[in-house]
Amino acid sequence: MTATIPPFLAACRRQPVPYTPLWIMRQAGRYLPEYRRVRSQAEFTTLLRSPELAAEVTLQPLRRFPLDAAILFSDIMTPLQGMGVSLSFEPGPVVHEPIRTDASVDALSQLVPERDVPFVLESIRLVRAGLPAGVPLIGFAGAPFTLLCYLVCGRPSKEFGAARSFLYSNPAAAERLIDRLADAMSAYLRAQAAAGAQALMLFESWAGLLAPPQFERFALRGVRRAVAGLREAGVPLIYYVNQGSALMECVADLDLDVIGVDWRSPLGTVRRKLGPGKAVQGNLDPAALFASPEDLRRHAGRVLDEAGGAPGHIFNLGHGIWPETDPDAVARLIDYVHERSSRQDGTGAVAP
Ligand code: 1CP
């Protein structure tokens, strides 16, 4: 007899599942009182660098909710510190010397994960030891273009104008930076899988800033290069493309298993654009968690209906959960998605 594969991993591979698996972007974080308690005792960077604390906050939402996956508590900027970038969190990342010249691109050191970020790998080992067998752990990294946005601008921004103009004013340096970051994130993700991560996710949080030609030239250049060597890790690969509804045709042929999408387009439309070769992850508006219980069920039900019942849907929010969210609303959402999707017969129909 073969061991049953956890629903999250089955859905990543577009295999049938007993119910739609669900996890929540930023499920470990400030909306949980137990996270705020740990955080009141330790700086964010201390949390990131202490395997015991990072493992503890990773596991917190799993103790509270029947989530179908865990995601390592870390930040997309963590490996950049390992490459020699000086930064702080205020609370978003602030890069003390933004990268805008060829010389500063060349000054980035190569990332050797075991040497430069051993605490991340140790956190992964501790989380795996503390997780129930049916709940896989997702490792992650920032996608190269999204990291470039923070490195070039130096701090969070609505438009990331300095990053976008850098792509036009110095495209050669931008490509070199993308390549450096892609190689580093590739090594970083491979090390996470070797330490025990059972799926790997790239966050393209700022994809929506780019028109398709720039997205192809810079963002996808980085993603293709980052994932080129990752298939041998043998784990599903997820690419989250925030505000990417105009970009879905561009990502359909990537060698990846799952595309994560925001809430701005219905999943049915997204799936038609992606074709049958990709699973989808998403896409409830994080603001929907502020609806009445009845309305929340309606909004979540619409996401399930749009996903269509064919294998290959992982329920999630379209972006990170807001710190102001009531954890009880999360509990209701998870129960509803599990219960309602377990009545689907795999063809998209729902039993009465
Ligand atoms: O004060 C605090 O407690 C720090 C707030 C915080 C937290 C809880 C930051 C700073 N990062 C995190 C954790 C984090 N970041 C996780 C944890 C795991 C989980 O999901 O439970 C993950 C996956 C990230 C990834 C991340 N960091 C992304 C990609 C996902 C996304 O939200 O689009 C991005 C863009 C960041 C940058 C960042 N780090 C922190 C903040 C507040 C931000 C966003 C800044 C901005 O708005 O530009």
Side-chain angles (χ1 to χ4, degrees):
M1 229 178 83
T2 50
T4 50
I5 160 171
F8 167 76
L9 294 177
C12 286
R13 300 198 183 285
R14 289 174 288 116
Q15 294 166 0
V17 285
Y19 55 85
T20 301
L22 175 155
W23 69 278
I24 288 182
M25 282 198 270
R26 299 251 173 154
Q27 64 191 22
R30 289 170 287 178
Y31 75 108
L32 287 179
E34 55 270 40
Y35 171 80
R36 294 196 299 269
R37 249 189 320 275
V38 174
R39 182 68 176 78
S40 69
Q41 310 283 316
E43 282 300 323
F44 182 60
T45 31
T46 310
L47 275 190
L48 299 178
R49 291 172 164 272
S50 315
E52 287 78 15
L53 291 177
E56 163 60 21
V57 294
T58 301
L59 292 169
Q60 281 177 343
L62 279 300
R63 295 195 191 106
R64 208 185 241 270
F65 309 120
L67 291 155
D68 295 291
I71 182 158
L72 177 70
F73 187 84
S74 187
D75 196 82
I76 58 168
M77 303 302 282
T78 307
L80 301 185
Q81 291 178 300
M83 297 171 76
V85 175
S86 167
L87 60 91
S88 48
F89 292 91
E90 305 178 11
V94 175
V95 174
H96 303 144
E97 289 170 41
I99 292 180
R100 294 183 187 170
T101 62
D102 297 86
S104 55
V105 173
D106 292 337
L108 285 173
S109 57
Q110 297 221 339
L111 184 76
V112 180
E114 296 75 10
R115 179 192 69 197
D116 300 322
V117 285
F119 48 89
V120 173
L121 308 178
E122 184 55 20
S123 304
I124 289 174
R125 288 186 278 266
L126 290 179
V127 172
R128 278 301 302 277
L131 272 177
V135 181
L137 174 64
I138 303 167
F140 74 89
F145 169 69
T146 289
L147 296 174
L148 176 149
C149 285
Y150 288 106
L151 287 173
V152 172
C153 285
R155 52 173 61 242
S157 150
K158 263 212 174 81
E159 295 281 338
F160 286 96
R164 267 169 55 222
S165 58
F166 183 65
L167 303 184
Y168 289 93
S169 64
N170 200 342
E175 286 181 344
R176 277 236 304 291
L177 179 52
I178 290 283
D179 289 353
R180 282 273 176 131
L181 293 168
D183 292 347
M185 293 313 115
S186 189
Y188 184 52
L189 289 169
R190 216 166 318 125
Q192 291 187 50
Q198 293 147 291
L200 297 172
M201 177 154 165
L202 278 167
F203 282 98
E204 196 77 272
S205 302
W206 304 115
L209 296 173
L210 297 178
Q214 274 66 44
F215 182 71
E216 277 280 352
R217 177 168 180 188
F218 298 102
L220 290 190
R221 175 193 181 98
V223 172
R224 288 202 177 93
R225 189 166 168 136
V227 303
L230 285 181
R231 277 296 175 202
E232 63 209 48
V235 303
L237 304 176
I238 308 170
Y239 183 37
Y240 169 67
V241 191
N242 188 28
Q243 300 199 28
S245 42
L247 304 169
M248 286 299 122
E249 283 88 355
C250 307
V251 299
D253 67 346
L254 290 177
D255 184 19
L256 292 158
D257 302 286
V258 186
I259 301 298
V261 292
D262 66 49
W263 64 92
R264 293 171 180 86
S265 28
L267 279 186
T269 310
V270 171
R271 291 193 98 166
R272 275 190 297 281
K273 286 184 182 170
L274 288 174
K278 296 278 177 294
V280 289
Q281 179 171 276
N283 72 341
L284 184 70
D285 185 345
L289 286 162
F290 295 80
S292 68
E294 189 193 334
D295 284 350
L296 175 58
R297 285 196 294 277
R298 207 162 42 77
H299 296 303
R302 191 175 302 145
V303 171
L304 290 170
D305 289 342
E306 279 290 338
H313 176 218
I314 299 137
F315 197 103
N316 206 317
L317 303 182
H319 203 177
I321 188 167
W322 296 0
E324 303 80 13
T325 308
D326 177 0
D328 291 342
V330 175
R332 287 194 291 270
L333 173 68
I334 298 171
D335 285 350
Y336 175 75
V337 169
H338 282 163
E339 195 272 330
R340 161 65 214 273
S341 62
S342 68
R343 289 189 276 128
Q344 274 176 335
D345 65 5
T347 64
V350 180

